[in-house]
Amino acid sequence: MASDLPPYYFRTRENGAFVFRVEPEGRMRRIEMDQIAVVNIRNGEIKPHGDRSLSDTDMAAIRDWMAARQAELAARDLDDIRRTVDHLNQTAHWAQGKASDAELDQVTDALLMAMHDLRGVLVRRKADRVMRDREPG
């Protein structure tokens, strides 16, 4: 098992991770995890933990993880949006055929405001792209 362990462990959090160096043969043959850094993927900051110095190998592993994590989060965002489209379709079906008047009264205003806001953002962003694509140069 010890040979199957990665050299680093990243304990994810909302905006990054705590980075641990994994030492598979610690005291009494236990797996040791030594925190070496804190990472913020939003601003790209890598802070060594305590008075540690990070090696080039540490930095390369952390940067590789950051790139992979950012790609994973971007993919999740798109997947969430695709699920939202599906959910909007299900909501339309529910509103048309299954919802009672009382249920519609509970959600109609909130849905209309959210959809109005979303429509405005999408129309503006599409107009910006169209105008940018038409500009010469």
Side-chain angles (χ1 to χ4, degrees):
M1 165 157 161
S3 63
D4 295 342
L5 295 174
Y8 299 95
Y9 173 72
F10 295 84
R11 182 192 303 154
T12 58
R13 57 190 195 143
E14 183 178 337
N15 62 343
F18 296 110
V19 183
F20 297 86
R21 186 177 294 121
V22 177
E23 299 172 16
E25 295 297 327
R27 295 173 293 177
M28 297 188 294
R29 299 184 55 94
R30 292 184 183 174
I31 297 169
E32 300 283 333
M33 293 192 334
D34 184 28
Q35 185 176 352
I36 62 170
V38 177
V39 174
N40 184 320
I41 60 171
R42 288 189 185 144
N43 64 14
E45 189 173 54
I46 301 170
K47 288 184 185 177
H49 181 69
D51 59 351
R52 301 212 186 303
S53 295
L54 299 175
S55 70
D56 290 342
T57 303
D58 295 335
M59 291 298 290
I62 291 169
R63 285 191 181 106
D64 288 348
W65 178 85
M66 289 174 73
R69 181 69 175 170
Q70 288 169 329
E72 178 183 4
L73 292 174
R76 282 184 190 174
D77 283 346
L78 283 175
D79 189 52
D80 286 347
I81 298 305
R82 289 181 181 109
R83 279 194 303 248
T84 298
V85 171
D86 287 345
H87 202 92
L88 283 169
N89 287 322
Q90 293 168 5
T91 301
H93 181 72
W94 170 81
Q96 186 174 25
K98 296 180 182 178
S100 69
D101 290 345
E103 290 170 328
L104 286 172
D105 285 342
Q106 292 177 35
V107 297
T108 296
D109 291 342
L111 278 169
L112 287 172
M113 292 300 295
M115 291 186 314
H116 177 74
D117 181 36
L118 177 59
R119 182 187 181 281
V121 169
L122 293 174
V123 167
R124 279 191 302 277
R125 293 294 307 269
K126 178 130 186 159
D128 290 347
R129 289 192 313 275
V130 168
M131 295 304 291
R132 189 175 52 237
D133 291 345
R134 287 184 179 172
E135 290 177 2

